[in-house]
Amino acid sequence: MPPCFDVYVWVHTEDRPGVLARFIDSYVDGHSPREPRFGAFVRTYVQEAPSPGDQEGLVDLRRQPPRDRGLTLYLGAKHHYEAIITITEEGDLVLGLGLDDPDNSPEVWKRGAALMASLRAEFNAHGGVAGVELPPPQSALEWADEAMVQVRQGTSP
């Protein structure tokens, strides 16, 4: 698998289901989501009508279940390498898109910075971070960590 330049934006919203629905409609390949728990996620967090067993099925998307509230899905994307959705420990959203970057190209970094600005505007995000193979932050503390961040825009949550 080639390296990926990951771009994330932090979204604090009272309309989490609506924002998730817009992100999914715009960026996630619904015909090939790559994640077998995608349906359970949509029922639980977008439709807010989980089926029996959905909550339990999503537990292993958490880094340290059961105490941890953050979870991340890696999904197929319509026009990008991948789409990433994270529910943070704080209950906010981190929405991400991955750009294929096999050559660690400065051009991909420029496209990533432009994509970050576009996502920030589209989803009224506080800020954005990006980097090569950057794991999605699942908390404000992880968001502030500079270790792997190569591009940062806006403010911290």
Side-chain angles (χ1 to χ4, degrees):
M1 184 163 81
C4 192
F5 189 75
D6 297 305
V7 176
Y8 301 107
V9 295
W10 184 290
V11 180
H12 174 76
T13 180
E14 299 300 318
D15 183 22
R16 183 167 66 185
V19 171
L20 286 169
R22 284 187 313 146
F23 182 79
I24 289 167
D25 288 345
S26 296
Y27 297 102
V28 174
D29 182 354
H31 301 291
S32 177
R34 279 185 15 192
E35 169 55 63
R37 293 156 294 202
F38 181 60
F41 178 85
V42 169
R43 287 187 298 274
T44 302
Y45 291 102
V46 179
Q47 298 168 349
E48 296 183 315
S51 294
D54 282 350
Q55 292 284 354
E56 295 79 15
L58 296 172
V59 166
D60 61 343
L61 295 173
R62 300 179 191 289
R63 290 191 186 145
Q64 296 181 14
R67 71 171 205 257
D68 168 89
R69 287 186 21 195
L71 63 86
T72 298
L73 276 86
Y74 293 87
L75 303 163
K78 291 180 179 177
H79 304 291
H80 298 88
Y81 182 75
E82 64 186 346
I84 304 122
I85 298 173
T86 297
I87 308 287
T88 69
E89 294 284 326
E90 297 82 2
D92 291 335
L93 300 173
V94 172
L95 306 175
L97 295 169
L99 303 175
D100 188 23
D101 189 18
D103 302 318
N104 200 21
S105 165
E107 186 57 38
V108 173
W109 287 39
K110 289 178 190 173
R111 283 189 14 237
L115 177 60
M116 183 188 303
S118 174
L119 288 170
R120 285 183 61 212
E122 183 176 356
F123 295 102
N124 196 28
H126 294 286
V129 294
V132 175
E133 298 298 326
L134 181 65
Q138 287 190 350
S139 68
L141 184 62
E142 288 180 16
W143 184 269
D145 186 1
E146 296 287 339
M148 295 179 62
V149 173
Q150 293 160 313
V151 177
R152 185 178 293 273
Q153 295 178 358
T155 61
S156 293

